Amino acid sequence: MENVFSKYGFIIKNVEEVKDAKGTLYSAEHKRSGAKLYFLQREDRNMTFSIAFRTPPQDDTGVFHIIEHSVLCGSRKFPVKEPFVELLKGSLNTFLNALTYEDRTVYPVSSRCEKDFLNLTEVYLDAVFHPRMLSDENIFLQEGWHYEYDEQTDTLSYNGVVYNEMCGAYSSPEEAAENELRASLFPNTVYCRDSGGNPDFIPELSYEELKEAHKTYYHPSNSMIFLDGSVCLDKALPLIASYLDEYEKTEISVIYPIQPPVFTKPKTVEFEPGGDPLARVLFGYVFSSPETKNIDYALSILDSTIAGTNESALKKALLDSGLCEDVVTSVYRSRQTQYTIEVIGVKEEDIAKIAPTLESIIRGLAKQGLDKERISALINNDEFRQKEALGGSTPKGVLYALTAYSYLNFGFSAADALSYSDDIEFARAKLESDFYEKLLLDATVDNPHRASVIMLPKEELEQLRAQKKKELLKKIKDSLSKSELDEIVQKQKRLSELQAAPDSPEATATLPKLDLSDISPKVARKNTEKISEDGAVILNHGIETDGITYVTLCFAADDLADDELLYASLLTSLLKNLDTKERSAASLQNDIKSNLGALYFSLSTFPLSDGSGGARLAFTATASSLVRNKEHIVRLLSEILTSTDFSG
């Protein structure tokens, strides 16, 4: 393996086994450019490429968000307006996106077809290192912001993709509250800034500043490249190196310091009530960090324990107090972990009662002791989730890359980021002590690093803001000369013409394409064993499931009358959420979380195999668990399907 890396200019710095990901992690550096490259070698038909850059915002102009949009608008080698839109027409990708975080920007892609994987990797590399935006101001005007002047009404306005996107985001009370809370908790770090961009400040960004930010931070020395799966290094590394070789290593200092504890007075923010005329109160706490990964994990389990459902202790107590309509909590991990408790639907006269009520509830929970059976169930359930690497349609390699960056961005180990067994063992080992009770107090009411935000509804707030913006734009317009207004009109016209014009055939022809010969004609066949027992057909699929058992029971339902379908659909929601003849719904839920990974019921259609185009309707029960818990699937399904109590 070392010879493969060295052949293309990389030096292996470290090799580690990552047991939880069933792979070997190679950490390397490109000698010439200083780029860091990580390859998680493991068996996975999905091949993942991702490149990330540390992008610390220094203001609220959203410069890195605009860059993320802009680099995807064509590049040196692929000079089309929307290369990824064109690629999607003929790509077999399983993931393709770009993501702007508060401190990094990530460009991940995944495909099961090797040629497609290499094509997309090349387009991404060309996009981030040689974007057309560096030579075409119109891309900045389109994706960032620009003035528009209406000569008939003599009015000036703002327009731009990111500008409009963030105007929509800032109309949300959740966005406004979270931004204010984050600014209060991290006043001396980049996290007090909005990397997405505040609409009030986006128009302060110039094209020259955009280019300078790209030049500074989109350098290989500031990059982190992640490869995952069954990648052929002899094909991927020379492609990657062909871009890195253009650069000389340079020192780019990006440091994310720890914010010392702050304890601020509550801040008040107004929001347009719409259909929500009541106040909100947010409490934010900064507690752990990547250095205390085990504690960080335990905090997420604690949060699920006390606020995961309406029946969870903290949430139920707040709802029962009658002071609010809902409670939402979150654990957000970055350089430091932020824990947020948001109390929604509070009458203005009750706002002053929320903080002391919350503190009283938390101290009461710590004193009486937390439900350890519930905590154990949540740990077991999370172990399943981690093992399965649930991400819906997101490939595991992409999830691994995004997880790794959350540690690599701050100089910590990617292998540590991808390992979860130690966290789970740590969380389990603390069940027999008062660890979780102390953690609850230390993370919240006894925490010296905290802040709060009060969100007050204000009618016609958006109108007031619109009027303020209108007055600002009028002031700007009045300060411009006729020639300056004419220039705005001309820029506006050129941008519209360019947006309407199709890409030339020559430009479109530069995009890589797949041929039929690039796609394997082989179809992966399942080794399925068919067994008949007591009139039932059992299909046993012999496929690798990474230590997880999956069971689906299908009951023919094509004889249901039309009016019965509604009740059958309702039944899928009721099952597992009602008492059974043996016990309460709460006890059943704990059992499910303790021993299963997933359990749900649904109505499903299955196509007939006779070529008629017909289908059959079935009522299905689907469950999964770790192999060691597979007997619980049968036990729980049997209890739910045969003894659910519908009398209540």
Side-chain angles (χ1 to χ4, degrees):
M1 184 65 71
E2 186 174 350
N3 291 337
V4 178
F5 278 93
S6 62
K7 183 163 54 170
Y8 303 110
F10 293 89
I11 303 172
I12 293 179
K13 296 288 189 177
N14 197 22
V15 180
E16 298 174 86
E17 293 300 316
V18 184
K19 293 181 180 179
D20 290 330
K22 287 185 167 54
T24 303
L25 181 67
Y26 293 86
S27 302
E29 181 177 322
H30 187 251
K31 288 185 288 186
R32 180 177 174 83
S33 69
K36 305 294 190 298
L37 184 142
Y38 306 88
F39 173 42
L40 183 58
Q41 185 183 40
R42 61 185 189 88
E43 290 299 320
D44 192 336
R45 289 177 58 209
N46 265 313
M47 293 162 282
T48 296
F49 164 84
S50 178
I51 185 166
F53 301 90
R54 294 179 179 88
T55 49
Q58 305 302 315
D59 52 39
D60 293 312
T61 60
V63 59
F64 294 117
H65 187 188
I66 297 172
I67 289 176
E68 178 230 303
H69 277 247
S70 300
V71 301
L72 303 180
C73 294
S75 61
R76 181 178 67 183
K77 190 172 182 179
F78 310 109
V80 296
K81 290 188 294 185
E82 295 182 299
F84 293 98
V85 172
E86 296 300 319
L87 279 172
L88 285 173
K89 297 175 183 178
S91 170
L92 299 175
N93 76 84
T94 50
F95 190 90
L96 187 149
N97 207 345
L99 307 160
T100 301
Y101 291 82
E102 70 278 13
D103 50 25
R104 60 191 180 277
T105 310
V106 185
Y107 300 87
V109 67
S110 183
S111 179
R112 294 186 174 191
C113 172
E114 183 176 73
K115 180 67 178 298
D116 191 41
F117 167 73
L118 294 171
N119 286 348
L120 294 170
T121 297
E122 183 176 19
V123 174
Y124 259 31
L125 286 166
D126 208 63
V128 298
F129 289 124
H130 305 298
R132 279 199 313 136
M133 73 165 199
L134 297 178
S135 58
D136 188 349
E137 185 181 8
N138 286 295
I139 293 173
F140 165 66
L141 300 178
Q142 171 182 279
E143 299 301 321
W145 76 278
H146 63 274
Y147 288 121
E148 291 192 351
Y149 178 58
D150 188 324
E151 295 175 281
Q152 290 185 336
T153 60
D154 190 32
T155 56
L156 200 65
S157 62
Y158 297 121
N159 202 352
V161 174
V162 170
Y163 176 81
N164 291 333
E165 178 185 329
M166 296 313 296
C167 281
Y170 268 71
S171 67
S172 158
E174 291 85 1
E175 182 83 15
E178 181 56 37
N179 286 339
E180 193 64 46
L181 186 62
R182 188 175 60 244
S184 297
L185 290 169
F186 303 101
N188 307 121
T189 74
V190 298
Y191 300 104
C192 71
R193 303 298 185 183
D194 187 350
S195 62
N198 183 327
D200 291 341
F201 297 98
I202 289 174
E204 294 181 2
L205 180 68
S206 71
Y207 178 47
E208 293 304 318
E209 288 171 329
L210 181 91
K211 291 192 292 182
E212 185 61 29
H214 181 275
K215 177 183 176 182
T216 300
Y217 294 101
Y218 276 61
H219 188 284
S221 295
N222 190 43
S223 71
M224 300 167 283
I225 298 169
F226 193 92
L227 298 173
D228 174 88
S230 302
V231 175
C232 176
L233 293 183
D234 268 318
K235 294 180 180 179
L237 289 184
L239 173 60
I240 296 169
S242 68
Y243 283 89
L244 302 182
D245 285 339
E246 298 178 35
Y247 297 83
E248 293 283 354
K249 184 176 181 179
T250 185
E251 290 298 325
I252 301 175
S253 178
V254 180
I255 300 172
Y256 297 103
I258 291 288
Q259 171 67 55
V262 293
F263 189 2
T264 62
K265 293 181 179 179
K267 291 189 177 180
T268 300
V269 178
E270 294 175 332
F271 71 97
E272 181 76 42
D276 182 14
L278 298 177
R280 300 166 175 236
V281 184
L282 283 82
F283 301 89
Y285 311 91
V286 177
F287 186 64
S288 55
S289 67
E291 294 97 327
T292 54
K293 182 169 175 279
N294 291 343
I295 302 292
D296 200 35
Y297 175 78
L299 180 61
S300 68
I301 295 295
L302 173 64
D303 172 55
S304 297
T305 302
I306 63 175
T309 70
N310 285 350
E311 296 303 310
S312 299
L314 174 67
K315 188 169 184 178
K316 186 176 188 304
L318 279 168
L319 293 175
D320 288 348
S321 72
L323 295 174
C324 63
E325 295 180 345
D326 198 8
V327 179
V328 177
T329 64
S330 64
V331 178
Y332 186 74
R333 300 173 182 86
S334 188
R335 181 62 185 92
Q336 292 167 273
T337 296
Q338 177 180 331
Y339 183 45
T340 303
I341 300 174
E342 182 175 7
V343 185
I344 301 170
V346 180
K347 294 177 182 177
E348 198 160 341
E349 61 267 26
D350 289 335
I351 289 175
K353 301 175 185 176
I354 296 298
T357 300
L358 176 63
E359 179 168 355
S360 176
I361 291 170
I362 288 175
R363 294 197 182 281
L365 291 176
K367 185 176 181 179
Q368 73 186 33
L370 299 172
D371 184 348
K372 299 301 173 61
E373 182 181 348
R374 170 78 174 165
I375 296 175
S376 178
L378 289 166
I379 294 171
N380 291 338
N381 191 257
D382 191 70
E383 180 183 8
F384 175 90
R385 185 187 64 83
Q386 297 276 9
K387 193 173 187 68
E388 196 176 38
L390 288 174
S393 60
T394 306
K396 279 188 178 183
V398 174
L399 294 175
Y400 288 150
L402 299 181
T403 301
Y405 289 142
S406 67
Y407 275 59
L408 291 171
N409 201 49
F410 311 116
F412 297 108
S413 164
D416 285 348
L418 299 174
S419 300
Y420 58 82
S421 294
D422 288 349
D423 297 333
I424 291 172
E425 290 174 12
F426 174 85
R428 278 207 184 100
K430 299 298 183 181
L431 285 169
E432 302 304 318
S433 67
D434 60 353
F435 167 81
Y436 287 98
E437 288 79 8
K438 289 182 178 178
L439 178 61
L440 174 59
L441 296 174
D442 290 344
T444 57
V445 293
D446 289 341
N447 191 341
H449 193 165
R450 50 180 161 151
S452 59
V453 172
I454 298 169
M455 297 289 294
L456 292 178
K458 182 178 177 63
E459 295 290 346
E460 301 181 347
L461 180 63
E462 290 303 316
Q463 292 182 23
L464 292 172
R465 288 173 176 167
Q467 181 61 33
K468 183 179 178 181
K469 182 165 73 172
K470 183 179 179 181
E471 292 171 358
L472 172 63
L473 284 164
K474 184 180 185 305
K475 184 177 179 180
I476 294 171
K477 190 266 298 180
D478 291 344
S479 71
L480 298 174
S481 65
K482 184 178 185 305
S483 62
E484 288 172 322
L485 288 172
D486 288 342
E487 184 181 356
I488 288 173
V489 172
Q490 289 305 312
K491 281 188 174 183
Q492 196 176 317
K493 183 180 178 182
R494 284 196 299 271
L495 178 59
S496 297
E497 290 172 349
L498 288 168
Q499 289 171 329
D503 290 313
S504 69
E506 293 79 14
T508 304
T510 63
L511 290 171
K513 297 178 178 63
L514 290 177
D515 296 321
L516 284 177
S517 58
D518 297 321
I519 304 170
S520 173
K522 296 180 180 179
V523 178
R525 300 288 182 185
K526 297 182 177 68
N527 181 23
T528 301
E529 179 185 11
K530 186 175 181 180
I531 306 168
S532 295
E533 189 171 321
D534 296 332
V537 176
I538 302 172
L539 300 178
N540 183 26
H541 302 300
I543 58 176
E544 174 56 44
T545 60
D546 201 15
I548 297 173
T549 297
Y550 296 90
V551 172
T552 299
L553 303 181
C554 298
F555 302 92
D558 8 30
D559 59 343
L560 291 177
D562 289 349
D563 60 338
E564 291 176 315
L565 288 175
L566 174 64
Y567 296 108
S569 179
L570 178 61
L571 184 62
T572 64
S573 300
L574 294 176
L575 290 174
K576 86 174 183 180
N577 293 308
L578 297 177
D579 296 346
T580 68
K581 294 175 183 177
E582 289 82 7
R583 53 180 162 169
S584 68
S587 174
L588 177 66
Q589 286 287 336
N590 264 353
D591 196 347
I592 292 171
K593 287 187 176 296
S594 293
N595 296 297
L596 302 187
L599 174 63
Y600 57 93
F601 301 88
S602 62
L603 284 174
S604 305
T605 54
F606 297 90
L608 296 176
S609 57
D610 58 7
S612 65
R616 294 198 66 180
L617 179 68
F619 185 93
T620 62
T622 303
S624 55
S625 76
L626 298 175
V627 168
R628 69 170 184 261
N629 291 332
K630 61 184 179 182
E631 70 277 3
H632 294 291
I633 294 178
V634 177
R635 177 178 61 81
L636 285 163
L637 281 176
S638 177
E639 178 182 349
I640 294 168
L641 292 173
T642 63
S643 67
T644 294
D645 184 0
F646 296 100
S647 63

